[in-house]
């Protein structure tokens, strides 16, 4: 299995450690990145470096991309000199970016027409999960392609779920983001109420985390909100990009999502205050401004 | 310690098993309930039965109440023939209902003036937690009263947090409810999106529960939402009573809570559809109606 050659396109905060974990598992890896220095950094780990997505793809059995947004994925895969034009027949394509399910299906169709197979396989678990190979991977695509990809996924992640046909990996990721942001709002409203009422925040978190209010977000972001620690696990600007995908997809589905829309508006207020590069827990600052507890930051 | 006599007022779904656990721990318990049959049922467990709150209180060292709402608590404690008028000096009063923090402080003041001590100590964990003595108890009041109450709490609950002075137990419970209802909305919006997109709901729940979207509500109510199981763990009508307390208290605090207000409006739509006696997970029915997936129930 590890005689397979993998092209890995997009070696940013997530992609670089994922590519490193593939090298560690014994795969030959050819990397490409738009900013070349980020790809070059992986030579020390045993990767070879390609000058373009096409050049990476033509040498590979499997092509993986991990990119910021839908247009980046379309450009890398579908451009005249992109992956689909250059790849061998029987290539397994895997996009691990978070993009629109409709874009994932469009790329899947193109790969299929060119004789390959495709999986949309977005991830969750953050940069820590990428480094430690503990990512959750939500895959959409044909059974056969999923089976072929499974050992590759196991080198990068821990929870690997085959969610359905192409697009369903992305759809699952969007559902994941809906839950995450509303759980963040839950913690932020409770902390703002506690602060305004003069409640000891640590005791409130202790009591609520013990019961039916428990969540990953309350446990992990609650203490940061209480301490005013805005260090990003996940940036508000990136969260808003994911919520844009959620809301575009919801429009395609003819689906109102009132809670998700509200959270997105509150994050927009953070962005208006110049706080887009803070961690998502900083939504509590928007609520504190609404509550008369805080002014806009000095600028 | 167990030579103490406890008056227990309000032996409903929560109060009855809590009184039973006190009897099991060796306390002498005198019960009273507005509907006498519910108190009589505890004779078989060793309780004695009083005809009024005052009659229960005058025989007791400790008076506990567990009642539906703020007016019930005011009536039991503050009426001309209520607990405060009848109780002995040095009585420890404990109200375990979920009521407004401001009402809890009013009762606390009256008990203090009559020579007693008071704790507000609302609970979470449902009827199962009441039966199994695994409730979370959030207590507000003086240190000395809390120390005196601790062994009594240990007979009924598992996580026992002293949240601060009088009112802060109730305030913590309201924060808990804010988190709970927004976590419920999170699960419901994700499930409605998944349903509308044709996603396999079990796989979506598997993938999301493994990561940062994890919550008690997603784990416990998500599968019920997916299966269309509306059996109440906690009734929408009762949740709305708690959200009314949250919103009244928020008004007193001059505090906007936009997410909590939204959830309350969506639960109001369930009530308008005649679904107030369903479990809180039935908020997914409101979202399904908004999404054009469901009609009003036949009536």
């Amino acid at each position: 299995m590890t005689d397979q050659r993998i092209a890995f396109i997009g070696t940013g905060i997530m992609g670089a450690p994922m590519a490193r974990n593939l090298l560690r598992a014994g795969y030959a890896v050819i990397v490409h990145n738009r900013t070349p220095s980020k790809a070059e950094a992986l030579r020390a780990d045993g990767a070879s470096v390609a000058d373009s997505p096409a050049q990476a793809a033509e040498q590979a059995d499997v092509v993986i991309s991990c990119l910021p947004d839908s247009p980046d994925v379309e450009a890398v895969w579908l451009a005249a000199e992109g992956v689909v034009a250059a790849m061998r027949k029987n290539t397994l394509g895997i996009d691990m970016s978070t993009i629109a399910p409709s874009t994932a299906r469009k790329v899947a169709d193109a790969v299929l027409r060119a004789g390959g197979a495709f999986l949309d396989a977005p991830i969750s678990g953050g940069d820590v999960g990428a480094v430690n190979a503990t990512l959750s991977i939500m895959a959409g695509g044909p059974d056969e392609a999923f089976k072929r990809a499974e050992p590759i996924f196991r080198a990068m992640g821990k929870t690997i779920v085959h969610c359905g046909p192409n697009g369903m990996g992305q759809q699952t990721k969007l559902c994941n983001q809906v839950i995450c942001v509303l759980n963040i709002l839950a913690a932020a409203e409770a902390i703002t109420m506690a602060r305004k009422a003069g409640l000891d925040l640590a005791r409130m978190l202790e009591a609520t985390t013990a019961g039916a209010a428990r969540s990953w977000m309350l446990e992990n972001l609650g203490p940061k909100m209480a301490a005013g620690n805005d260090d990003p696990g996940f940036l508000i600007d990136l969260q808003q990009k994911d919520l844009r995908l959620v809301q575009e997809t919801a429009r395609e589905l003819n689906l109102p999502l009132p809670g998700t829309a509200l959270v997105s508006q509150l994050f927009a207020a953070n962005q208006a205050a110049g706080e887009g590069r803070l961690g998502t827990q900083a939504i509590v600052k928007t609520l504190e401004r609404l509550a008369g507890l805080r002014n806009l930051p000095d600028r």
Side-chain angles (χ1 to χ4, degrees), chain A residues 10-32:
Chain A
T11 53
I13 292 178
M14 298 298 287
M18 290 161 71
R20 262 187 207 103
N21 283 325
L22 292 174
L23 287 161
R24 210 165 284 152
Y27 291 99
V29 180
I30 313 141
V31 295
H32 170 74

PDB file of all heavy atoms in Angstrom, chain A residues 10-32:
ATOM      1  N   GLY A  10      -1.482  22.216  -1.024  1.00  0.00           N
ATOM      2  CA  GLY A  10      -1.960  23.091   0.044  1.00  0.00           C
ATOM      3  C   GLY A  10      -1.362  22.693   1.367  1.00  0.00           C
ATOM      4  O   GLY A  10      -1.964  21.942   2.134  1.00  0.00           O
ATOM      5  N   THR A  11      -0.157  23.217   1.644  1.00  0.00           N
ATOM      6  CA  THR A  11       0.553  22.806   2.862  1.00  0.00           C
ATOM      7  C   THR A  11       0.589  23.969   3.852  1.00  0.00           C
ATOM      8  O   THR A  11       1.647  24.450   4.238  1.00  0.00           O
ATOM      9  CB  THR A  11       1.983  22.326   2.527  1.00  0.00           C
ATOM     10  OG1 THR A  11       2.642  23.349   1.747  1.00  0.00           O
ATOM     11  CG2 THR A  11       1.935  21.048   1.715  1.00  0.00           C
ATOM     12  N   GLY A  12      -0.617  24.408   4.242  1.00  0.00           N
ATOM     13  CA  GLY A  12      -0.748  25.482   5.231  1.00  0.00           C
ATOM     14  C   GLY A  12      -0.741  24.918   6.640  1.00  0.00           C
ATOM     15  O   GLY A  12      -0.172  23.861   6.914  1.00  0.00           O
ATOM     16  N   ILE A  13      -1.431  25.641   7.546  1.00  0.00           N
ATOM     17  CA  ILE A  13      -1.458  25.253   8.968  1.00  0.00           C
ATOM     18  C   ILE A  13      -1.976  23.830   9.154  1.00  0.00           C
ATOM     19  O   ILE A  13      -1.502  23.095  10.004  1.00  0.00           O
ATOM     20  CB  ILE A  13      -2.360  26.221   9.775  1.00  0.00           C
ATOM     21  CG1 ILE A  13      -1.729  27.612   9.824  1.00  0.00           C
ATOM     22  CG2 ILE A  13      -2.573  25.709  11.191  1.00  0.00           C
ATOM     23  CD1 ILE A  13      -2.582  28.644  10.552  1.00  0.00           C
ATOM     24  N   MET A  14      -2.964  23.434   8.346  1.00  0.00           N
ATOM     25  CA  MET A  14      -3.508  22.082   8.436  1.00  0.00           C
ATOM     26  C   MET A  14      -2.739  21.120   7.537  1.00  0.00           C
ATOM     27  O   MET A  14      -2.355  20.022   7.949  1.00  0.00           O
ATOM     28  CB  MET A  14      -4.998  22.083   8.042  1.00  0.00           C
ATOM     29  CG  MET A  14      -5.897  22.928   8.927  1.00  0.00           C
ATOM     30  SD  MET A  14      -5.952  22.404  10.661  1.00  0.00           S
ATOM     31  CE  MET A  14      -6.925  20.891  10.526  1.00  0.00           C
ATOM     32  N   GLY A  15      -2.539  21.524   6.267  1.00  0.00           N
ATOM     33  CA  GLY A  15      -1.979  20.613   5.267  1.00  0.00           C
ATOM     34  C   GLY A  15      -0.561  20.158   5.598  1.00  0.00           C
ATOM     35  O   GLY A  15      -0.222  18.974   5.396  1.00  0.00           O
ATOM     36  N   ALA A  16       0.281  21.063   6.104  1.00  0.00           N
ATOM     37  CA  ALA A  16       1.684  20.692   6.344  1.00  0.00           C
ATOM     38  C   ALA A  16       1.810  19.529   7.343  1.00  0.00           C
ATOM     39  O   ALA A  16       2.448  18.522   7.036  1.00  0.00           O
ATOM     40  CB  ALA A  16       2.481  21.918   6.808  1.00  0.00           C
ATOM     41  N   PRO A  17       1.177  19.633   8.513  1.00  0.00           N
ATOM     42  CA  PRO A  17       1.318  18.487   9.432  1.00  0.00           C
ATOM     43  C   PRO A  17       0.634  17.219   8.914  1.00  0.00           C
ATOM     44  O   PRO A  17       1.079  16.105   9.221  1.00  0.00           O
ATOM     45  CB  PRO A  17       0.664  18.977  10.735  1.00  0.00           C
ATOM     46  CG  PRO A  17      -0.133  20.182  10.376  1.00  0.00           C
ATOM     47  CD  PRO A  17       0.512  20.791   9.178  1.00  0.00           C
ATOM     48  N   MET A  18      -0.442  17.369   8.123  1.00  0.00           N
ATOM     49  CA  MET A  18      -1.088  16.185   7.550  1.00  0.00           C
ATOM     50  C   MET A  18      -0.132  15.491   6.567  1.00  0.00           C
ATOM     51  O   MET A  18      -0.011  14.255   6.561  1.00  0.00           O
ATOM     52  CB  MET A  18      -2.394  16.596   6.856  1.00  0.00           C
ATOM     53  CG  MET A  18      -3.487  17.031   7.851  1.00  0.00           C
ATOM     54  SD  MET A  18      -4.819  18.026   7.085  1.00  0.00           S
ATOM     55  CE  MET A  18      -5.662  16.774   6.119  1.00  0.00           C
ATOM     56  N   ALA A  19       0.540  16.281   5.718  1.00  0.00           N
ATOM     57  CA  ALA A  19       1.511  15.707   4.776  1.00  0.00           C
ATOM     58  C   ALA A  19       2.648  15.030   5.538  1.00  0.00           C
ATOM     59  O   ALA A  19       3.128  13.955   5.158  1.00  0.00           O
ATOM     60  CB  ALA A  19       2.050  16.805   3.860  1.00  0.00           C
ATOM     61  N   ARG A  20       3.074  15.653   6.648  1.00  0.00           N
ATOM     62  CA  ARG A  20       4.133  15.055   7.465  1.00  0.00           C
ATOM     63  C   ARG A  20       3.704  13.701   8.011  1.00  0.00           C
ATOM     64  O   ARG A  20       4.494  12.758   8.046  1.00  0.00           O
ATOM     65  CB  ARG A  20       4.460  15.983   8.643  1.00  0.00           C
ATOM     66  CG  ARG A  20       5.654  16.845   8.385  1.00  0.00           C
ATOM     67  CD  ARG A  20       6.134  17.663   9.568  1.00  0.00           C
ATOM     68  NE  ARG A  20       6.792  18.831   8.999  1.00  0.00           N
ATOM     69  CZ  ARG A  20       6.251  20.047   8.937  1.00  0.00           C
ATOM     70  NH1 ARG A  20       5.082  20.284   9.504  1.00  0.00           N
ATOM     71  NH2 ARG A  20       6.894  21.032   8.344  1.00  0.00           N
ATOM     72  N   ASN A  21       2.447  13.593   8.425  1.00  0.00           N
ATOM     73  CA  ASN A  21       1.975  12.310   8.953  1.00  0.00           C
ATOM     74  C   ASN A  21       1.912  11.239   7.865  1.00  0.00           C
ATOM     75  O   ASN A  21       2.116  10.060   8.144  1.00  0.00           O
ATOM     76  CB  ASN A  21       0.611  12.479   9.632  1.00  0.00           C
ATOM     77  CG  ASN A  21       0.768  13.107  11.015  1.00  0.00           C
ATOM     78  OD1 ASN A  21       1.748  12.852  11.712  1.00  0.00           O
ATOM     79  ND2 ASN A  21      -0.190  13.936  11.404  1.00  0.00           N
ATOM     80  N   LEU A  22       1.649  11.644   6.608  1.00  0.00           N
ATOM     81  CA  LEU A  22       1.671  10.680   5.498  1.00  0.00           C
ATOM     82  C   LEU A  22       3.103  10.204   5.246  1.00  0.00           C
ATOM     83  O   LEU A  22       3.344   9.008   5.023  1.00  0.00           O
ATOM     84  CB  LEU A  22       1.091  11.326   4.235  1.00  0.00           C
ATOM     85  CG  LEU A  22      -0.407  11.631   4.286  1.00  0.00           C
ATOM     86  CD1 LEU A  22      -0.837  12.402   3.033  1.00  0.00           C
ATOM     87  CD2 LEU A  22      -1.232  10.349   4.427  1.00  0.00           C
ATOM     88  N   LEU A  23       4.060  11.126   5.280  1.00  0.00           N
ATOM     89  CA  LEU A  23       5.473  10.745   5.119  1.00  0.00           C
ATOM     90  C   LEU A  23       5.880   9.779   6.219  1.00  0.00           C
ATOM     91  O   LEU A  23       6.535   8.755   5.973  1.00  0.00           O
ATOM     92  CB  LEU A  23       6.358  11.999   5.165  1.00  0.00           C
ATOM     93  CG  LEU A  23       6.295  12.898   3.914  1.00  0.00           C
ATOM     94  CD1 LEU A  23       6.799  14.303   4.223  1.00  0.00           C
ATOM     95  CD2 LEU A  23       7.093  12.270   2.763  1.00  0.00           C
ATOM     96  N   ARG A  24       5.476  10.089   7.438  1.00  0.00           N
ATOM     97  CA  ARG A  24       5.811   9.247   8.596  1.00  0.00           C
ATOM     98  C   ARG A  24       5.235   7.834   8.436  1.00  0.00           C
ATOM     99  O   ARG A  24       5.804   6.863   8.910  1.00  0.00           O
ATOM    100  CB  ARG A  24       5.236   9.922   9.858  1.00  0.00           C
ATOM    101  CG  ARG A  24       6.006   9.674  11.116  1.00  0.00           C
ATOM    102  CD  ARG A  24       5.583  10.652  12.194  1.00  0.00           C
ATOM    103  NE  ARG A  24       6.138  11.983  11.993  1.00  0.00           N
ATOM    104  CZ  ARG A  24       5.586  13.121  12.408  1.00  0.00           C
ATOM    105  NH1 ARG A  24       4.429  13.101  13.062  1.00  0.00           N
ATOM    106  NH2 ARG A  24       6.176  14.279  12.181  1.00  0.00           N
ATOM    107  N   ALA A  25       4.064   7.743   7.772  1.00  0.00           N
ATOM    108  CA  ALA A  25       3.425   6.441   7.565  1.00  0.00           C
ATOM    109  C   ALA A  25       4.050   5.680   6.395  1.00  0.00           C
ATOM    110  O   ALA A  25       3.640   4.551   6.098  1.00  0.00           O
ATOM    111  CB  ALA A  25       1.929   6.632   7.337  1.00  0.00           C
ATOM    112  N   GLY A  26       5.028   6.295   5.694  1.00  0.00           N
ATOM    113  CA  GLY A  26       5.750   5.567   4.655  1.00  0.00           C
ATOM    114  C   GLY A  26       5.349   5.893   3.226  1.00  0.00           C
ATOM    115  O   GLY A  26       5.877   5.301   2.282  1.00  0.00           O
ATOM    116  N   TYR A  27       4.411   6.829   3.060  1.00  0.00           N
ATOM    117  CA  TYR A  27       4.026   7.202   1.694  1.00  0.00           C
ATOM    118  C   TYR A  27       5.073   8.120   1.075  1.00  0.00           C
ATOM    119  O   TYR A  27       5.706   8.918   1.769  1.00  0.00           O
ATOM    120  CB  TYR A  27       2.676   7.943   1.698  1.00  0.00           C
ATOM    121  CG  TYR A  27       1.504   7.065   2.069  1.00  0.00           C
ATOM    122  CD1 TYR A  27       0.986   7.081   3.365  1.00  0.00           C
ATOM    123  CD2 TYR A  27       0.921   6.221   1.121  1.00  0.00           C
ATOM    124  CE1 TYR A  27      -0.085   6.275   3.714  1.00  0.00           C
ATOM    125  CE2 TYR A  27      -0.150   5.409   1.469  1.00  0.00           C
ATOM    126  CZ  TYR A  27      -0.645   5.436   2.760  1.00  0.00           C
ATOM    127  OH  TYR A  27      -1.701   4.636   3.111  1.00  0.00           O
ATOM    128  N   ALA A  28       5.246   7.999  -0.265  1.00  0.00           N
ATOM    129  CA  ALA A  28       6.014   8.989  -1.017  1.00  0.00           C
ATOM    130  C   ALA A  28       5.088  10.179  -1.257  1.00  0.00           C
ATOM    131  O   ALA A  28       3.973  10.002  -1.754  1.00  0.00           O
ATOM    132  CB  ALA A  28       6.480   8.408  -2.346  1.00  0.00           C
ATOM    133  N   VAL A  29       5.532  11.379  -0.892  1.00  0.00           N
ATOM    134  CA  VAL A  29       4.653  12.550  -0.967  1.00  0.00           C
ATOM    135  C   VAL A  29       5.314  13.660  -1.784  1.00  0.00           C
ATOM    136  O   VAL A  29       6.474  14.026  -1.537  1.00  0.00           O
ATOM    137  CB  VAL A  29       4.301  13.076   0.451  1.00  0.00           C
ATOM    138  CG1 VAL A  29       3.374  14.293   0.343  1.00  0.00           C
ATOM    139  CG2 VAL A  29       3.653  11.983   1.286  1.00  0.00           C
ATOM    140  N   ILE A  30       4.559  14.151  -2.785  1.00  0.00           N
ATOM    141  CA  ILE A  30       4.975  15.296  -3.596  1.00  0.00           C
ATOM    142  C   ILE A  30       4.100  16.461  -3.180  1.00  0.00           C
ATOM    143  O   ILE A  30       2.877  16.396  -3.329  1.00  0.00           O
ATOM    144  CB  ILE A  30       4.738  15.028  -5.095  1.00  0.00           C
ATOM    145  CG1 ILE A  30       5.267  13.660  -5.482  1.00  0.00           C
ATOM    146  CG2 ILE A  30       5.343  16.141  -5.950  1.00  0.00           C
ATOM    147  CD1 ILE A  30       4.360  12.936  -6.465  1.00  0.00           C
ATOM    148  N   VAL A  31       4.702  17.539  -2.682  1.00  0.00           N
ATOM    149  CA  VAL A  31       3.894  18.649  -2.182  1.00  0.00           C
ATOM    150  C   VAL A  31       3.934  19.834  -3.137  1.00  0.00           C
ATOM    151  O   VAL A  31       4.900  20.045  -3.873  1.00  0.00           O
ATOM    152  CB  VAL A  31       4.368  19.102  -0.780  1.00  0.00           C
ATOM    153  CG1 VAL A  31       4.142  17.998   0.238  1.00  0.00           C
ATOM    154  CG2 VAL A  31       5.821  19.536  -0.796  1.00  0.00           C
ATOM    155  N   HIS A  32       2.827  20.583  -3.128  1.00  0.00           N
ATOM    156  CA  HIS A  32       2.800  21.863  -3.838  1.00  0.00           C
ATOM    157  C   HIS A  32       2.024  22.856  -2.981  1.00  0.00           C
ATOM    158  O   HIS A  32       1.018  22.504  -2.369  1.00  0.00           O
ATOM    159  CB  HIS A  32       2.127  21.755  -5.203  1.00  0.00           C
ATOM    160  CG  HIS A  32       1.882  23.109  -5.821  1.00  0.00           C
ATOM    161  ND1 HIS A  32       2.900  23.867  -6.360  1.00  0.00           N
ATOM    162  CD2 HIS A  32       0.757  23.857  -5.927  1.00  0.00           C
ATOM    163  CE1 HIS A  32       2.390  25.023  -6.784  1.00  0.00           C
ATOM    164  NE2 HIS A  32       1.098  25.041  -6.532  1.00  0.00           N
TER     165      HIS A  32
END
